[in-house]
Amino acid sequence: LLAGAAPRAGQEQSTSDLDREAVGWGFDPPVMKLAVTMAAPSADDNGSDVGRLLRELKLGHDLHNVSVDFGVLRTLSEVLRAGDWHVTATVVSTRFESTLGSRQSRGLRRPKLIRVEPGDTTGCHCILALDIGTTSVWGQLIHIPKRTVIATASDYNGQISFGEDVITRIVHAERAGGLEELQKAVVRTVNKVVADLLEQTGMDRGCISAVSAAGNTTMTHLLLGLPPRYIRAAPYVLTTSLFPPVKARSLGLDLEDSVSVYAFPAVASYVGGDIVAGVLGAGFYRHKDLTLYMDLGTNGEVVLGGSDWMVSASCSAGPALEGGGVRCGVRASPGAIDAFALDGDTREPRIRTMGEHKPIGICGVGLIEMIAELLGHGILEANGKFDAQRGGARVREGEDGVEYLLVAARDSATGDDIVLTERDIENIVRSKAAMYAGVMTLLDSVSLDIGDIQRIIVAGALGNYLDIEKCKQVGLFPDVPREVFSYIGNGSLLGARLVALSNELLDDAERIAKMITNIELSDHPGFYDNYLSAMFLPHTDMKQFPHVAVKLGRG
Amino acid sequence: LLAGAAPRAGQEQSTSDLDREAVGWGFDPPVMKLAVTMAAPSADDNGSDVGRLLRELKLGHDLHNVSVDFGVLRTLSEVLRAGDWHVTATVVSTRFESTLGSRQSRGLRRPKLIRVEPGDTTGCHCILALDIGTTSVWGQLIHIPKRTVIATASDYNGQISFGEDVITRIVHAERAGGLEELQKAVVRTVNKVVADLLEQTGMDRGCISAVSAAGNTTMTHLLLGLPPRYIRAAPYVLTTSLFPPVKARSLGLDLEDSVSVYAFPAVASYVGGDIVAGVLGAGFYRHKDLTLYMDLGTNGEVVLGGSDWMVSASCSAGPALEGGGVRCGVRASPGAIDAFALDGDTREPRIRTMGEHKPIGICGVGLIEMIAELLGHGILEANGKFDAQRGGARVREGEDGVEYLLVAARDSATGDDIVLTERDIENIVRSKAAMYAGVMTLLDSVSLDIGDIQRIIVAGALGNYLDIEKCKQVGLFPDVPREVFSYIGNGSLLGARLVALSNELLDDAERIAKMITNIELSDHPGFYDNYLSAMFLPHTDMKQFPHVAVKLGRG
């Protein structure tokens, strides 16, 4: 399983206190467990078993018009008698059940009885929140009565063996049996994550009452077994942007029969439920402030707006910011170089590795730090080329062209030199340029400017460990004051767990998906210019980076 | 498969003209097939495939707020493209979907898209109506656009091998694996009936869009795989009296994935969906006239009332009226003796057999005729004993006691004598006494009298072939004028097929189930007296049978 590095001081996730969040939004969990004591049958009472139970839910719990899942009926008579008429009813009370309807369906919220257990099991009641990432799957158990996260686990998405990126997987899904393979692979991963969560907590599997899942559009399609074929080509058509609840067992998830998977709705082919969940978690859709939401990841999505409107774009940033496509790039894991500085006098590098292990390579955070620092010292130029003179002996000709020697083979855990090549830098510049150009294009599309941005919310596991100043220095983030920025960590997982506590937020998910207008960057006339301008460090137009310019002495 | 005899002249089912019925009730089929031509996707249109389809259903077919079955999504993209954006949508628009809710759910009727096929398949659209009897399963295909029954088929319920009656099957269901065995047995029977219906019509299996099933409470439980255990003992508690729609495939029925089974709601343990369907088909629940509904069958149910109130009772009549538990009793099938008369001069019997075959035994109708005729000629006495003197040589001592020789071995198809024994008569008297006592007890329970009955509706396959005068003569039917009686044949099947055409009637089914008050005869103080009084031919209290009394010379 993935190891997580400690967040930088002051950049801890501001959202770990679910209780506070829940109070803020109103605690009203979509899936409830209710202890019910009902009347035993008698000759005077013409009612059926389920009739008496529903009557008790009405009189004792003010739940009216409850529908009943057929699965409940199969065992109901025995369960009621096994509990001697003291039972626990699991009731889903969510508009998610009517997720595919129009706005009119909002009036149709109708509780549904999905499970009845003997005795009082109200303490055994968790929601599994999932972030189904292209690379990693994260899971958290939310204990509903305690309103708290009781465990977190993650693993690489088993689909990686069929291709690292979304497009490769869509292509694989088009082959005979390919969709089933991919669906099974991610389900295996989720089952492993669940096993880990249960082991951590000692909870019984039966205590998972529902699953809330956020993922990009392709990941959601593949999890649910929907063919993703038409996502990848213009006009980028989704089968559906709203997903009805699906029985977990029917997908192969090792959970109770009664458990359904509630998947976040998608905005468009490349702006999926993960972004909707992130926007939900970030909360800015409820405020007027012009907010920029940046999700740093392989896809690299950005959302701009507030409570009146939102536009989004998918930047196809590529994996470089996560260490992918970089010669000595590694994921954030023990031994990854995640901090870099040059000695003021000797210009010799000082590095830090995660867990203080011997270095195995450079992770995304480390790559940004290196580029920023080398740039600051003039060893790297604005065009992404090394200045051989300033770089000294460490800048040399390597296999892939010019490179900077960071760790010599004798000091590395791999037994090879750890280097940063000009080609690596090119890849990273392409990634950051794509993100930045996405931001600029969104601003252009609504005729606004960087100066109008009032808040920037950075999401993505990477985000928590980034140094804002260094991100500005390389041109990944806009050059605005530090206090404009905040971090929310894994936004997708945050949103997935918040809806477990609040029907209001669950409703908001659909509202957000419908509210966001997606901009296809490749169709937008200004995007390519924005992209080319951002292919420098930090940018060709230094007027956009006034404070960085001063710092780099290019003011 | 069962052979059906021709109904008596003037007693044909008055309900074969579905079109007339449908017009009477308003043609508004709960399951619709709609030809839809939708827009192809374009870059200007941000909508998903399902979004564009739903928009077309709204604009082109005035269907709002349509929910989508998850199964549709799995193939939707390919289906839309295979049909070049001309498709057929199957939409369920029924309150049955919210069958388990309270009255409030009436407002919640919401169409659901359950299937999409390429091209125009609106002509391939049938509902399978089922009557799941303890003994026989009847099926009919209703062609919805043509509003007509296109085929009828039946077979013995495969559960018979586990026991002839409901109680034996409930007991079997309590054994390990017993419920599954019984469920599979009836499903095999239904699958055979479906195969027969398809062969008769040349229809494709995929043209069956939904299943409407009526059966007694135990049969419905067993079909759906619900444990019937608590039905059989006081206080006779049902798991549920309303059944949610269940996917046909999940029950093992060989039908499309999209097909659901809609089972009629039950009133009580021994007054099930078959009676609700019969009351629906008979239509008297809509009229003020005091009506008596008698369903002749193994269980023998009676319903009394009209549009303001209805009471019901299950009479446990036993199988004698269907030829069961009678030495030479047979079901209505070729060679069964179904008519009997005594020559005025010789007192020698004249018989008719079904299909003019050599006689194999006596069916229920024949038994009633024999008893009435022998009674009328004084060969049989009011206490069910033969008058040896009047009977002549045909009345003799047999293996089981005194018997009447009807057909000598040399003339029978079986090579054995066909006889009617005093023990047989005792069984038939018990059956008819149970029915009649049920009627009297229902009348008592509402302080009414035979004279108050304005209509008698006789249901049951047997009914169509019965001679009313003879049924009165043996004391099975009350002694009221002939014009009070009418026949509807298989009421359960009639109701099951009517709801296929009208949402209004579908709603009525639930209303009927909730409206009927069931009387447990065994708990009712007057029942046993009524039963004992009816143990004579026709009755101990001849004041109740004034016209019969005159006829029999006992006036």
Side-chain angles (χ1 to χ4, degrees):
Chain A
L1 299 184
L2 298 182
R8 277 168 193 272
Q11 289 185 195
E12 290 89 359
Q13 280 191 239
S14 57
T15 50
S16 58
D17 185 354
L18 275 179
D19 202 24
R20 185 167 50 77
E21 287 159 7
V23 170
W25 302 120
F27 180 68
D28 170 23
V31 182
M32 294 172 285
K33 270 197 168 185
L34 304 164
V36 178
T37 297
M38 55 185 276
S42 73
D44 309 332
D45 184 348
N46 243 331
S48 62
D49 278 343
V50 77
R52 275 174 294 116
L53 178 57
L54 294 180
R55 196 169 59 204
E56 195 50 43
L57 287 174
K58 181 152 72 181
L59 300 178
H61 298 273
D62 203 30
L63 282 171
H64 297 261
N65 200 18
V66 176
S67 72
V68 179
D69 191 77
F70 181 66
V72 168
L73 297 177
R74 291 196 190 264
T75 54
L76 184 67
S77 299
E78 294 302 338
V79 167
L80 295 182
R81 285 159 182 85
D84 196 22
W85 316 104
H86 301 279
V87 294
T88 300
T90 307
V91 177
V92 183
S93 181
T94 155
R95 293 193 191 93
F96 237 138
E97 292 286 341
S98 52
T99 250
L100 279 167
S102 66
R103 285 298 172 101
Q104 294 166 19
S105 70
R106 300 196 161 270
L108 294 185
R109 181 162 153 185
R110 184 175 182 204
K112 187 172 187 181
L113 178 67
I114 60 166
R115 191 180 181 198
V116 181
E117 299 163 275
D120 184 345
T121 66
T122 50
C124 160
H125 179 32
C126 295
I127 306 295
L128 171 65
L130 287 175
D131 164 41
I132 309 288
T134 310
T135 305
S136 305
V137 171
W138 286 84
Q140 284 186 325
L141 275 191
I142 322 302
H143 193 282
I144 298 299
K146 292 182 187 159
R147 309 182 193 187
T148 182
V149 175
I150 56 172
T152 304
S154 71
D155 201 350
Y156 287 113
N157 187 332
Q159 293 174 344
I160 289 175
S161 57
F162 301 100
E164 295 244 336
D165 59 54
V166 158
I167 295 292
T168 327
R169 297 204 200 151
I170 294 176
V171 171
H172 186 81
E174 289 173 30
R175 293 188 196 144
L179 177 57
E180 289 70 24
E181 278 179 326
L182 289 165
Q183 204 265 341
K184 280 185 181 157
V186 69
V187 163
R188 263 196 306 273
T189 303
V190 174
N191 281 336
K192 275 163 70 181
V193 168
V194 169
D196 186 3
L197 293 169
L198 296 177
E199 201 186 307
Q200 285 182 43
T201 55
M203 272 273 173
D204 188 83
R205 187 175 298 280
C207 297
I208 298 177
S209 304
V211 180
S212 158
N216 64 47
T217 305
T218 303
M219 288 305 113
T220 305
H221 272 63
L222 294 179
L223 175 69
L224 302 182
L226 299 174
R229 180 169 173 187
Y230 298 99
I231 294 175
R232 78 176 172 108
Y236 312 106
V237 178
L238 302 179
T239 293
T240 181
S241 55
L242 302 167
F243 304 94
V246 183
K247 290 272 183 180
R249 196 66 79 87
S250 77
L251 301 177
L253 293 172
D254 198 5
L255 295 167
E256 286 292 315
D257 278 338
S258 58
V259 173
S260 285
V261 175
Y262 299 85
F264 270 76
V267 177
S269 287
Y270 291 110
V271 177
D274 49 350
I275 295 306
V276 172
V279 169
L280 182 89
F284 67 92
Y285 67 99
R286 291 181 170 231
H287 302 288
K288 291 267 178 199
D289 298 355
L290 182 70
T291 302
L292 173 67
Y293 177 86
M294 298 178 76
D295 189 4
L296 304 178
T298 307
N299 299 314
E301 286 99 352
V302 285
V303 181
L304 181 74
S307 55
D308 291 335
W309 53 266
M310 286 185 276
V311 288
S312 70
S314 176
C315 306
S316 309
L321 294 177
E322 296 178 283
V326 171
R327 174 104 171 267
C328 297
V330 293
R331 295 182 193 284
S333 51
I337 297 165
D338 71 341
F340 174 95
L342 288 174
D343 186 279
D345 298 328
T346 64
R347 284 192 177 167
E348 274 301 283
R350 283 178 294 136
I351 61 166
R352 186 184 71 192
T353 62
M354 290 174 67
E356 311 284 320
H357 288 70
K358 256 191 150 180
I360 57 165
I362 318 164
C363 70
V365 174
L367 289 167
I368 300 280
E369 299 232 335
M370 266 189 88
I371 293 172
E373 191 75 1
L374 292 169
L375 194 69
H377 284 80
I379 294 172
L380 192 62
E381 295 173 38
N383 62 3
K385 304 293 175 199
F386 286 109
D387 183 323
Q389 207 177 333
R390 295 201 191 188
R394 286 187 177 263
V395 173
R396 66 188 194 189
E397 193 70 30
E399 278 174 46
D400 295 339
V402 181
E403 64 186 24
Y404 178 89
L405 174 67
L406 178 56
V407 178
R410 64 176 179 280
D411 296 324
S412 82
T414 58
D416 290 320
D417 290 344
I418 295 176
V419 300
L420 178 70
T421 70
E422 285 185 353
R423 193 172 290 178
D424 294 339
I425 293 167
E426 211 177 299
N427 280 333
I428 293 161
V429 167
R430 264 200 219 103
S431 284
K432 74 96 191 171
M435 290 296 292
Y436 189 80
V439 171
M440 293 310 292
T441 309
L442 280 191
L443 284 166
D444 290 351
S445 75
V446 291
S447 304
L448 291 173
D449 199 74
I450 286 174
D452 297 314
I453 298 173
Q454 293 167 281
R455 285 183 71 198
I456 297 179
I457 299 172
V458 180
L462 187 68
N464 287 330
Y465 310 96
L466 285 176
D467 182 295
I468 290 168
E469 294 307 322
K470 286 177 178 153
C471 289
K472 288 196 252 180
Q473 210 157 314
V474 303
L476 172 61
F477 289 170
D479 189 4
V480 297
R482 197 196 157 94
E483 59 271 21
V484 170
F485 288 87
S486 59
Y487 293 82
I488 60 161
N490 185 333
S492 174
L493 191 61
L494 171 60
R497 70 174 181 256
L498 283 182
V499 296
L501 300 173
S502 165
N503 257 313
E504 190 185 336
L505 292 181
L506 198 48
D507 290 346
D508 283 354
E510 191 175 326
R511 191 153 66 89
I512 291 167
K514 288 184 171 159
M515 192 177 151
I516 296 176
T517 302
N518 188 56
I519 308 281
E520 278 299 335
L521 292 179
S522 55
D523 293 345
H524 202 276
F527 175 70
Y528 197 64
D529 284 346
N530 281 325
Y531 179 65
L532 286 183
S533 307
M535 283 292 282
F536 282 73
L537 290 166
H539 201 272
T540 45
D541 178 12
M542 288 305 287
K543 281 196 221 86
Q544 292 183 25
F545 287 83
H547 306 96
V548 173
V550 171
K551 203 165 173 184
L552 292 178
R554 298 196 223 151
Chain B
L1 298 186
L2 298 182
R8 276 167 195 272
Q11 289 184 196
E12 291 88 359
Q13 279 191 238
S14 58
T15 51
S16 58
D17 185 354
L18 276 177
D19 202 24
R20 184 168 50 79
E21 287 159 7
V23 170
W25 300 119
F27 180 69
D28 170 23
V31 182
M32 293 173 287
K33 271 197 166 184
L34 303 163
V36 178
T37 297
M38 54 184 277
S42 73
D44 309 332
D45 184 348
N46 243 331
S48 61
D49 278 342
V50 78
R52 274 175 294 115
L53 178 57
L54 293 181
R55 195 168 59 205
E56 195 49 43
L57 286 174
K58 182 152 70 180
L59 300 179
H61 298 273
D62 203 30
L63 282 171
H64 298 261
N65 200 18
V66 176
S67 73
V68 180
D69 192 76
F70 181 66
V72 168
L73 297 176
R74 291 195 191 263
T75 54
L76 184 68
S77 299
E78 295 302 337
V79 166
L80 295 182
R81 286 158 182 85
D84 196 22
W85 315 105
H86 301 280
V87 293
T88 300
T90 306
V91 178
V92 183
S93 180
T94 156
R95 293 193 191 95
F96 238 137
E97 292 287 341
S98 53
T99 249
L100 279 167
S102 66
R103 285 299 171 98
Q104 293 166 19
S105 69
R106 299 197 162 268
L108 296 183
R109 182 163 154 183
R110 184 174 183 207
K112 186 172 187 182
L113 179 66
I114 60 166
R115 190 180 181 196
V116 182
E117 299 162 275
D120 184 345
T121 66
T122 50
C124 160
H125 178 31
C126 295
I127 306 295
L128 171 65
L130 287 176
D131 165 42
I132 309 288
T134 309
T135 305
S136 306
V137 171
W138 286 84
Q140 284 187 325
L141 275 190
I142 323 302
H143 193 282
I144 299 299
K146 292 182 188 161
R147 309 182 192 186
T148 183
V149 175
I150 56 171
T152 303
S154 71
D155 200 350
Y156 288 111
N157 186 332
Q159 293 174 343
I160 289 176
S161 58
F162 301 100
E164 295 245 335
D165 60 54
V166 158
I167 296 292
T168 327
R169 298 204 198 149
I170 295 176
V171 172
H172 187 82
E174 289 173 28
R175 293 188 197 145
L179 177 57
E180 289 71 24
E181 279 179 325
L182 289 165
Q183 205 265 341
K184 281 186 180 155
V186 68
V187 163
R188 264 196 305 273
T189 302
V190 174
N191 282 336
K192 273 163 70 182
V193 168
V194 169
D196 186 4
L197 292 170
L198 296 177
E199 201 186 307
Q200 285 181 42
T201 54
M203 272 271 172
D204 188 82
R205 187 175 299 279
C207 297
I208 298 178
S209 304
V211 180
S212 159
N216 65 48
T217 305
T218 303
M219 289 305 111
T220 305
H221 273 64
L222 294 178
L223 175 69
L224 302 182
L226 299 174
R229 181 170 172 187
Y230 297 99
I231 293 175
R232 80 178 171 105
Y236 311 106
V237 178
L238 302 179
T239 294
T240 181
S241 55
L242 302 167
F243 304 95
V246 182
K247 290 272 184 182
R249 197 64 80 90
S250 77
L251 301 177
L253 292 171
D254 198 5
L255 295 167
E256 286 292 316
D257 278 339
S258 58
V259 173
S260 285
V261 175
Y262 298 86
F264 269 76
V267 177
S269 288
Y270 291 111
V271 176
D274 49 349
I275 295 306
V276 172
V279 169
L280 182 90
F284 68 92
Y285 67 98
R286 292 182 170 230
H287 302 288
K288 292 265 178 199
D289 298 354
L290 181 68
T291 302
L292 173 66
Y293 177 86
M294 298 178 75
D295 189 4
L296 303 179
T298 308
N299 299 314
E301 286 99 352
V302 283
V303 181
L304 181 74
S307 54
D308 291 335
W309 52 266
M310 286 185 275
V311 288
S312 71
S314 176
C315 306
S316 310
L321 294 177
E322 296 179 283
V326 171
R327 174 103 171 268
C328 297
V330 293
R331 295 181 194 284
S333 50
I337 296 165
D338 70 341
F340 174 95
L342 288 175
D343 187 279
D345 298 326
T346 64
R347 285 191 175 168
E348 274 301 282
R350 283 178 294 137
I351 61 167
R352 187 184 70 192
T353 62
M354 291 174 67
E356 310 284 320
H357 288 72
K358 254 190 154 181
I360 58 166
I362 318 164
C363 70
V365 173
L367 289 168
I368 301 280
E369 298 232 335
M370 266 188 87
I371 293 172
E373 191 76 0
L374 292 170
L375 194 69
H377 284 80
I379 295 171
L380 192 62
E381 294 173 38
N383 61 4
K385 303 296 173 195
F386 287 109
D387 182 321
Q389 207 177 336
R390 295 202 190 189
R394 286 187 177 264
V395 173
R396 67 187 193 189
E397 192 70 28
E399 276 173 48
D400 294 340
V402 181
E403 65 186 24
Y404 178 89
L405 174 67
L406 178 56
V407 179
R410 65 176 177 279
D411 295 325
S412 81
T414 58
D416 290 318
D417 288 344
I418 295 176
V419 299
L420 178 70
T421 71
E422 285 185 352
R423 193 173 288 178
D424 294 339
I425 294 168
E426 211 177 300
N427 280 334
I428 293 161
V429 167
R430 263 199 220 103
S431 284
K432 75 96 190 171
M435 290 296 292
Y436 189 80
V439 171
M440 293 310 292
T441 308
L442 280 190
L443 284 166
D444 290 351
S445 75
V446 291
S447 304
L448 291 173
D449 197 77
I450 287 174
D452 297 315
I453 298 173
Q454 294 169 279
R455 284 183 71 199
I456 297 179
I457 299 174
V458 180
L462 187 68
N464 286 331
Y465 309 96
L466 284 176
D467 182 295
I468 290 167
E469 294 308 321
K470 286 177 177 152
C471 290
K472 288 196 251 178
Q473 209 156 314
V474 302
L476 172 61
F477 289 171
D479 188 4
V480 297
R482 197 193 158 94
E483 58 271 22
V484 171
F485 289 86
S486 58
Y487 293 82
I488 60 162
N490 185 333
S492 174
L493 191 61
L494 171 60
R497 71 175 182 255
L498 283 182
V499 297
L501 300 173
S502 164
N503 258 313
E504 190 185 338
L505 293 181
L506 198 47
D507 291 346
D508 283 355
E510 190 176 326
R511 189 153 66 87
I512 291 167
K514 287 184 171 157
M515 194 178 151
I516 296 177
T517 302
N518 189 55
I519 308 280
E520 280 298 337
L521 292 180
S522 54
D523 294 346
H524 202 277
F527 175 70
Y528 196 64
D529 285 345
N530 280 326
Y531 179 65
L532 286 183
S533 307
M535 282 292 282
F536 281 72
L537 290 165
H539 201 271
T540 46
D541 178 12
M542 288 306 287
K543 281 195 222 88
Q544 291 183 25
F545 288 82
H547 306 94
V548 173
V550 170
K551 204 165 175 185
L552 291 178
R554 299 197 223 150

